Amino acid sequence: MYRMPPDIVAGLAGADLAALGIPSEADYVAAYCRRTGRASIPSYTFYIAFNFFRLAAIFHGIKGRVIRGTAASAHARERAKSFPRLARLGREAMETCR
């Protein structure tokens, strides 16, 4: 959620993490690695990209339900509008994978 814009879902991108008492992404990952006995998370950027695409696929499904008139959520239209942006965020994240 560190890289997720807050207007799409409850993301932290652009938030003043220190003021919120939330560790930075790097500090959070380092703490996770310490607790799990890892030196690092290989392919971490892949997981970031994967999750943006995963959420984009979910939002695409919501968009289909909005178009068909079968969406149950009151937030469905908002979610559907976010699909292109999520796909773009996934692509941008994918481009940083090595």
Side-chain angles (χ1 to χ4, degrees):
M1 299 313 288
Y2 282 95
R3 300 178 192 198
M4 180 65 66
D7 60 307
I8 295 178
V9 292
L12 296 171
D16 185 347
L17 300 177
L20 295 170
I22 298 173
S24 70
E25 182 178 5
D27 288 342
Y28 185 86
V29 170
Y32 175 83
C33 289
R34 277 192 309 277
R35 288 184 178 106
T36 58
R38 305 166 192 240
S40 66
I41 302 174
S43 303
Y44 180 71
T45 54
F46 167 81
Y47 300 120
I48 298 297
F50 176 85
N51 279 295
F52 274 124
F53 281 123
R54 178 181 169 275
L55 192 57
I58 292 167
F59 279 32
H60 188 264
I62 293 169
K63 181 177 180 177
R65 288 189 293 283
V66 166
I67 290 168
R68 289 188 301 277
T70 60
S73 171
H75 303 286
R77 285 198 187 284
E78 290 176 40
R79 300 287 189 248
K81 289 178 186 176
S82 297
F83 164 70
R85 192 162 161 218
L86 275 171
R88 187 174 57 254
L89 288 167
R91 180 175 177 219
E92 289 168 2
M94 179 189 69
E95 290 171 351
T96 68
C97 293
R98 303 236 183 258

